[in-house]
Protein backbone atom coordinates (compact mmCIF):
# COMPACT_ATOMS: atom_id res chain seq x y z
CA UNK A 1 0.00 0.00 0.00
CA UNK A 2 1.29 3.48 -0.90
CA UNK A 3 2.26 5.98 1.78
CA UNK A 4 1.05 9.38 0.58
CA UNK A 5 3.38 12.31 1.25
CA UNK A 6 4.15 15.88 0.15
CA UNK A 7 7.58 17.23 -0.82
CA UNK A 8 8.22 20.89 -1.65
CA UNK A 9 11.31 21.63 -3.74
CA UNK A 10 12.41 25.07 -2.51
CA UNK A 11 14.75 25.46 -5.50
CA UNK A 12 11.75 25.43 -7.86
CA UNK A 13 9.11 27.33 -5.86
CA UNK A 14 8.44 30.80 -7.36
CA UNK A 15 5.98 31.89 -4.64
CA UNK A 16 3.06 32.21 -7.05
CA UNK A 17 0.56 30.95 -4.43
CA UNK A 18 -1.18 28.80 -7.06
CA UNK A 19 -1.16 25.84 -4.65
CA UNK A 20 -2.92 27.80 -1.90
CA UNK A 21 -5.43 29.26 -4.37
CA UNK A 22 -6.17 25.86 -5.93
CA UNK A 23 -6.82 24.37 -2.49
CA UNK A 24 -9.27 27.11 -1.53
CA UNK A 25 -11.09 26.91 -4.85
CA UNK A 26 -11.27 23.11 -4.99
CA UNK A 27 -12.65 22.65 -1.49
CA UNK A 28 -14.48 25.96 -0.98
CA UNK A 29 -12.41 26.53 2.15
CA UNK A 30 -14.06 29.12 4.46
CA UNK A 31 -12.63 32.60 4.83
CA UNK A 32 -9.83 32.80 7.38
CA UNK A 33 -8.82 29.15 7.00
CA UNK A 34 -5.68 28.33 5.02
CA UNK A 35 -5.10 24.62 4.53
CA UNK A 36 -1.97 25.44 2.53
CA UNK A 37 0.21 28.54 2.68
CA UNK A 38 3.55 29.86 1.47
CA UNK A 39 6.35 30.40 3.99
CA UNK A 40 9.37 32.49 2.98
CA UNK A 41 12.72 31.86 4.66
CA UNK A 42 15.49 34.52 4.71
CA UNK A 43 13.13 37.05 3.16
CA UNK A 44 14.97 39.81 1.28
CA UNK A 45 18.48 38.45 1.81
CA UNK A 46 20.72 36.12 -0.22
CA UNK A 47 19.51 32.55 0.05
CA UNK A 48 15.82 33.47 0.19
CA UNK A 49 13.58 30.47 -0.37
CA UNK A 50 9.84 29.85 -0.34
CA UNK A 51 8.21 26.63 0.81
CA UNK A 52 4.61 25.49 0.44
CA UNK A 53 3.41 24.19 3.81
CA UNK A 54 0.33 22.20 4.80
CA UNK A 55 -0.39 19.11 6.87
CA UNK A 56 2.53 16.74 6.35
CA UNK A 57 0.51 13.66 7.38
CA UNK A 58 3.19 12.65 9.85
CA UNK A 59 4.01 9.04 10.62
CA UNK A 60 3.92 9.84 14.34
CA UNK A 61 1.46 12.74 14.19
CA UNK A 62 1.53 14.90 17.35
CA UNK A 63 -2.03 16.10 16.68
CA UNK A 64 -3.27 12.53 17.08
CA UNK A 65 -1.35 12.14 20.33
CA UNK A 66 -2.85 15.21 22.05
CA UNK A 67 -6.46 15.10 20.83
CA UNK A 68 -8.63 14.42 23.93
CA UNK A 69 -11.54 13.02 21.91
CA UNK A 70 -9.52 10.95 19.39
CA UNK A 71 -11.04 12.62 16.36
CA UNK A 72 -7.96 11.86 14.23
CA UNK A 73 -7.54 8.66 12.26
CA UNK A 74 -5.20 7.30 9.59
CA UNK A 75 -6.29 5.88 6.23
CA UNK A 76 -4.81 2.88 4.44
CA UNK A 77 -2.66 5.32 2.46
CA UNK A 78 -1.29 6.72 5.76
CA UNK A 79 -3.16 10.03 5.33
CA UNK A 80 -4.03 11.71 8.62
CA UNK A 81 -7.68 12.80 8.64
CA UNK A 82 -10.11 13.89 11.34
CA UNK A 83 -13.80 13.59 12.17
CA UNK A 84 -15.41 17.01 12.56
CA UNK A 85 -18.40 15.48 14.33
CA UNK A 86 -16.07 14.47 17.17
CA UNK A 87 -13.95 17.64 17.24
CA UNK A 88 -14.67 19.92 20.23
CA UNK A 89 -12.48 22.81 19.07
CA UNK A 90 -10.10 22.67 22.04
CA UNK A 91 -7.10 23.71 19.93
CA UNK A 92 -4.64 21.18 21.38
CA UNK A 93 -3.78 19.95 17.89
CA UNK A 94 -3.01 23.50 16.78
CA UNK A 95 -0.42 23.96 19.51
CA UNK A 96 1.07 20.48 19.01
CA UNK A 97 1.54 20.67 15.23
CA UNK A 98 5.01 22.00 14.21
CA UNK A 99 3.64 22.98 10.78
CA UNK A 100 0.62 25.00 11.94
CA UNK A 101 -1.63 22.75 9.87
CA UNK A 102 -4.78 22.70 12.04
CA UNK A 103 -6.91 25.79 11.33
CA UNK A 104 -9.85 27.21 13.24
CA UNK A 105 -12.43 29.57 11.74
CA UNK A 106 -13.04 32.79 13.64
CA UNK A 107 -16.42 32.22 15.25
CA UNK A 108 -16.78 35.52 17.09
CA UNK A 109 -15.21 38.75 18.26
CA UNK A 110 -13.60 36.97 21.21
CA UNK A 111 -11.86 34.29 19.15
CA UNK A 112 -14.19 31.39 19.95
CA UNK A 113 -13.10 28.32 18.04
CA UNK A 114 -15.24 26.30 15.71
CA UNK A 115 -14.52 22.87 14.26
CA UNK A 116 -10.91 22.28 13.27
CA UNK A 117 -10.06 22.22 9.57
CA UNK A 118 -6.88 21.11 7.83
CA UNK A 119 -5.41 19.65 4.65
CA UNK A 120 -6.99 16.30 3.80
CA UNK A 121 -4.60 15.40 0.94
CA UNK A 122 -7.79 15.75 -1.12
CA UNK A 123 -8.98 12.49 0.46
CA UNK A 124 -12.24 13.70 2.00
CA UNK A 125 -13.33 12.48 5.41
CA UNK A 126 -15.18 9.68 7.21
CA UNK A 127 -18.42 10.18 5.25
CA UNK A 128 -19.16 8.19 2.10
CA UNK A 129 -16.74 8.95 -0.74
CA UNK A 130 -17.82 11.80 -3.04
CA UNK A 131 -21.01 12.39 -1.06
CA UNK A 132 -22.58 15.80 -0.43
CA UNK A 133 -21.93 15.49 3.31
CA UNK A 134 -18.26 14.73 2.70
CA UNK A 135 -17.81 17.73 0.40
CA UNK A 136 -19.63 20.09 2.78
CA UNK A 137 -17.35 19.17 5.71
CA UNK A 138 -14.04 18.23 4.11
CA UNK A 139 -14.08 19.31 0.47
CA UNK A 140 -13.63 17.31 -2.69
CA UNK A 141 -12.31 13.75 -2.54
CA UNK A 142 -9.96 13.74 -5.51
CA UNK A 143 -8.21 10.54 -4.46
CA UNK A 144 -11.52 8.67 -4.80
CA UNK A 145 -11.61 10.03 -8.37
CA UNK A 146 -8.13 8.66 -9.09
CA UNK A 147 -6.51 12.11 -9.01
CA UNK A 148 -3.69 13.73 -7.04
CA UNK A 149 -4.16 16.68 -4.65
CA UNK A 150 -5.18 19.88 -6.44
CA UNK A 151 -2.27 21.87 -5.01
CA UNK A 152 0.34 19.54 -6.50
CA UNK A 153 -1.41 19.35 -9.87
CA UNK A 154 -1.68 23.14 -10.07
CA UNK A 155 2.01 23.83 -9.32
CA UNK A 156 3.41 25.17 -12.62
CA UNK A 157 7.07 24.49 -11.77
CA UNK A 158 6.35 21.11 -10.13
CA UNK A 159 7.99 22.37 -6.96
CA UNK A 160 5.21 20.79 -4.92
CA UNK A 161 5.01 17.03 -5.32
CA UNK A 162 2.27 14.89 -3.83
CA UNK A 163 1.73 11.15 -4.06
CA UNK A 164 3.41 7.89 -3.12
CA UNK A 165 6.26 8.82 -0.77
CA UNK A 166 8.76 6.45 -2.40
CA UNK A 167 8.00 7.77 -5.90
CA UNK A 168 8.25 11.48 -5.09
CA UNK A 169 11.40 10.85 -3.01
CA UNK A 170 13.02 9.26 -6.07
CA UNK A 171 11.98 12.24 -8.22
CA UNK A 172 13.44 14.69 -5.73
CA UNK A 173 16.64 12.68 -5.34
CA UNK A 174 17.15 12.68 -9.12
CA UNK A 175 16.70 16.45 -9.22
CA UNK A 176 19.30 16.90 -6.51
CA UNK A 177 21.83 14.76 -8.34
CA UNK A 178 21.28 16.70 -11.55
CA UNK A 179 22.00 19.92 -9.68
CA UNK A 180 25.40 18.56 -8.75
CA UNK A 181 24.52 17.59 -5.22
CA UNK A 182 24.85 14.12 -3.78
CA UNK A 183 24.51 12.34 -0.49
CA UNK A 184 25.57 15.50 1.37
CA UNK A 185 22.02 16.83 0.94
CA UNK A 186 20.79 14.51 3.69
CA UNK A 187 22.13 14.06 7.18
CA UNK A 188 24.50 16.02 9.42
CA UNK A 189 26.11 18.09 6.66
CA UNK A 190 22.82 19.79 5.79
CA UNK A 191 21.28 19.98 9.24
CA UNK A 192 24.31 21.35 11.06
CA UNK A 193 26.58 22.73 8.35
CA UNK A 194 29.22 20.02 8.81
CA UNK A 195 31.60 19.44 5.89
CA UNK A 196 31.30 16.01 4.21
CA UNK A 197 33.41 13.44 6.02
CA UNK A 198 33.60 15.45 9.23
CA UNK A 199 32.22 14.17 12.50
CA UNK A 200 28.88 15.57 13.74
CA UNK A 201 29.05 18.16 16.51
CA UNK A 202 29.09 16.88 20.06
CA UNK A 203 27.33 18.95 22.67
CA UNK A 204 29.59 19.62 25.61
CA UNK A 205 28.11 19.28 29.10
CA UNK A 206 27.44 22.53 30.86
CA UNK A 207 30.10 23.57 33.36
CA UNK A 208 29.12 23.24 36.99
CA UNK A 209 30.30 25.39 39.83
CA UNK A 210 30.21 24.74 43.51
CA UNK A 211 31.87 25.55 46.77
CA UNK A 212 34.37 23.11 48.27
Amino acid sequence: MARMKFICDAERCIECNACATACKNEHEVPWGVNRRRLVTVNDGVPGERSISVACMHCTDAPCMAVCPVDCFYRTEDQIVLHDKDLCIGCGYCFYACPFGAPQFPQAGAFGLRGKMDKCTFCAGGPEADRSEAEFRKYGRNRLAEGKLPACAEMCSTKALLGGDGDVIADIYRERVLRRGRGADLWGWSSAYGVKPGAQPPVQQPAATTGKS
Side-chain angles (χ1 to χ4, degrees):
M1 184 62 66
R3 177 182 290 273
M4 296 298 185
K5 292 292 181 183
F6 283 119
I7 289 181
C8 183
D9 187 346
E11 297 292 333
R12 287 192 173 211
C13 180
I14 58 175
E15 202 175 350
C16 65
N17 275 286
C19 55
T21 303
C23 178
K24 277 186 167 293
N25 182 69
E26 190 80 355
H27 305 297
E28 298 182 9
V29 180
W31 181 261
V33 172
N34 297 290
R35 292 185 177 182
R36 179 167 290 282
R37 65 193 188 283
L38 266 292
V39 175
T40 301
V41 181
N42 297 328
D43 191 10
V45 301
E48 175 182 327
R49 294 290 186 275
S50 295
I51 304 173
S52 181
V53 179
C55 176
M56 300 304 288
H57 302 278
C58 306
T59 301
D60 186 15
C63 56
M64 298 182 72
V66 300
C67 181
V69 294
D70 293 328
C71 76
F72 290 93
Y73 65 99
R74 197 183 303 277
T75 70
E76 292 182 355
D77 293 323
Q78 303 303 303
I79 299 171
V80 177
L81 299 178
H82 69 295
D83 188 336
K84 287 191 176 184
D85 291 335
L86 296 178
C87 176
I88 59 175
C90 65
Y92 286 3
C93 56
F94 174 80
Y95 293 108
C97 178
F99 305 105
Q103 302 282 301
F104 289 89
Q106 189 76 11
F110 299 99
L112 300 177
R113 294 189 181 95
K115 299 289 186 177
M116 191 273 284
D117 190 273
K118 76 173 189 68
C119 162
T120 64
F121 210 90
C122 288
E127 276 78 8
D129 288 349
R130 305 173 66 181
S131 64
E132 177 63 29
E134 182 186 52
F135 179 80
R136 186 175 65 254
K137 294 180 183 179
Y138 308 98
R140 186 175 171 188
N141 190 338
R142 291 174 58 89
L143 262 63
E145 300 172 6
K147 301 176 181 178
L148 291 175
C151 54
E153 284 202 352
M154 185 59 67
C155 183
S156 59
T157 62
K158 299 305 175 187
L160 182 62
L161 301 174
D164 187 328
D166 292 335
V167 174
I168 62 175
D170 288 341
I171 294 173
Y172 185 65
R173 189 176 295 109
E174 182 180 353
R175 289 181 183 180
V176 171
L177 293 174
R178 286 185 178 182
R179 292 171 189 156
R181 298 287 299 275
D184 62 310
L185 182 70
W186 295 275
W188 290 104
S189 58
S190 293
Y192 295 99
V194 180
K195 294 181 179 179
Q199 292 297 318
V202 177
Q203 184 176 4
Q204 299 295 329
T208 58
T209 59
K211 295 182 179 178
S212 56

